[in-house]
Amino acid sequence: MLGQISFIGGGVMAEAMVQGILSRKLVDPNAITVSEPRKERREELKKRYEVKVTDRNVEAAASSETVILSVKPQDLENVLVELKGHLKPEQLIISIVAGARLDTIKEGAEHEAVVRVMPNTPAQYGEGMSVWTATTRVSKAQLEASRSILAAFGKERFMNGENFLDMATAVSGTGPTYVFLVMEAMIDAAVHLGFPRHIAYELVTETMRGSIIYAIKSGKHPAELRNLVTSPGGTSAAALYQLEKGALRTVISKAIWAAYERSRSFGEKGTAPHGQEKASK
Ligand SMILES: NC(=O)c1ccc[n+]([C@@H]2O[C@H](COP(=O)([O-])OP(=O)(O)OC[C@H]3O[C@@H](n4cnc5c(N)ncnc54)[C@H](OP(=O)(O)O)[C@@H]3O)[C@@H](O)[C@H]2O)c1
């Protein structure tokens, strides 16, 4: 039983989570409260999902078993100051705020049971990859509740240790950005060859989608799949030669390492100043 769930911050990610929770019928709409400062946004969410809305964070949080912190990193401190002293020990905080460490939330809200999640943008279409961890004070029932909430908008993976969250920020959290850049480069190359842009877009996105499904369904290592289509002196061999010469692997490895280090440095300072997306730049 998930009981009442409140969201502090009714933005893009909160909406993705509400949508997932309701489409999986984990709770009824009236078990969800979204606290959001902007009136038009509150009305929009209420109309779309029939959830309860308010602009009072403390009121929303106090009445829920699970309090989901879904504000931008720069707004977290104010929210924690507001919530401090208003939560009961048996309540659970789930934070999706990029860069915000468990200790920051525990100390800021004076609350022990905290789950920290790094989701990613495909969550908006139920295809997210969330990596999460928890303080030792999160009960088994709360771990299970967290798991089912996170599974409502994609795949989830619990990791024992907060350092995995910084690693996940660099791999899956920031990951869609790398994929979009590769996608963009391939589309531009196809246009350069002579395809109209909309056809270039279709060829590239369908190739990516199909390749990912193929890799997952075949269960084969990507190198094996690549070797299967690389005939001696063929087109794949010619293209791969240029990709390796351009140090694609090294660049990707360096990019992911840079994002990891940036995530760690934000964690040391408290939170990322402008959100996880910008943190990777
Ligand atoms: N988007 C992603 O894919 C993604 C991935 C990983 C992690 N995250 C994390 O998820 C969190 C939310 O991201 P998002 O993309 O959903 O951001 P967002 O769309 O900007 O949503 C944040 C919401 O919080 C509201 N808000 C601001 N101050 C508030 C306060 N004091 N109390 C209550 N609500 C307040 C904002 O209202 P106003 O619009 O009126 O300011 C806005 O509606 C961020 O911390 C981000 O790091 C996001």
Side-chain angles (χ1 to χ4, degrees):
M1 265 307 289
L2 292 175
Q4 296 283 322
I5 301 171
S6 59
F7 287 86
I8 310 299
V12 176
M13 282 306 289
E15 181 168 0
M17 294 176 81
V18 167
Q19 209 166 25
I21 290 168
L22 293 179
S23 69
R24 298 221 174 181
K25 299 192 178 1
L26 296 184
V27 294
D28 290 333
N30 63 15
I32 296 179
T33 306
V34 181
S35 182
E36 158 65 36
R38 215 153 34 89
K39 187 165 181 270
E40 312 83 75
R41 180 62 177 158
R42 286 199 299 276
E43 282 168 3
E44 189 175 60
L45 291 171
K46 188 176 177 180
K47 196 168 159 209
R48 232 174 249 170
Y49 304 102
E50 297 173 351
V51 294
K52 293 185 276 187
V53 291
T54 177
D55 58 354
R56 296 179 189 172
N57 291 341
V58 171
E59 201 177 283
S63 60
S64 303
E65 274 79 6
T66 306
V67 181
I68 301 179
L69 304 180
S70 45
V71 291
K72 286 279 191 210
Q74 61 268 32
D75 297 317
L76 180 66
E77 198 178 333
N78 288 341
V79 167
L80 293 176
V81 168
E82 263 189 272
L83 296 186
K84 192 171 176 171
H86 292 284
L87 297 176
K88 294 185 278 302
E90 63 274 17
Q91 286 181 279
L92 171 68
I93 293 182
I94 298 181
S95 166
I96 62 161
V97 181
R101 303 191 72 79
L102 288 171
D103 277 348
T104 306
I105 296 158
K106 267 169 63 179
E107 285 157 23
E110 280 185 356
H111 192 75
E112 293 293 328
V114 183
V115 160
R116 178 181 167 194
V117 187
M118 174 42 65
N120 65 8
T121 44
Q124 288 165 49
Y125 293 93
E127 297 289 345
M129 178 71 233
S130 298
V131 178
W132 58 289
T133 194
T135 59
T136 51
R137 295 291 282 276
V138 176
S139 69
K140 270 196 179 152
Q142 287 172 328
L143 286 174
E144 278 321 303
S146 306
R147 196 183 298 283
S148 53
I149 289 171
L150 301 180
F153 54 92
K155 300 243 187 272
E156 53 74 33
R157 170 71 64 182
F158 174 84
M159 296 302 292
N160 197 4
E162 198 167 11
N163 192 31
F164 287 110
L165 268 282
D166 289 316
M167 296 186 207
T169 302
V171 179
S172 50
T174 318
T177 319
Y178 320 144
V179 175
F180 298 145
L181 184 67
V182 172
M183 202 185 267
E184 191 190 335
M186 286 177 69
I187 291 169
D188 285 350
V191 171
H192 190 190
L193 288 177
F195 279 111
R197 192 159 279 280
H198 70 284
I199 296 177
Y201 179 88
E202 185 184 27
L203 295 188
V204 172
T205 52
E206 286 305 305
T207 300
M208 284 202 157
R209 197 175 67 84
S211 305
I212 288 163
I213 292 170
Y214 178 32
I216 292 171
K217 289 200 170 172
S218 71
K220 292 194 166 89
H221 189 280
E224 198 181 340
L225 294 175
R226 187 166 52 77
N227 285 344
L228 284 173
V229 291
T230 310
S231 32
T235 55
S236 295
L240 287 168
Y241 173 75
Q242 290 299 334
L243 289 169
E244 298 288 17
K245 200 173 162 208
L248 182 76
R249 283 173 209 255
T250 315
V251 168
I252 288 174
S253 180
K254 282 185 174 173
I256 291 180
W257 197 268
Y260 167 66
E261 292 202 319
R262 188 62 64 92
S263 175
R264 272 168 54 106
S265 75
F266 285 148
E268 279 155 19
K269 285 181 208 147
T271 60
H274 301 299
Q276 165 264 324
E277 310 74 25
K278 288 181 185 163
S280 67
K281 286 178 186 166

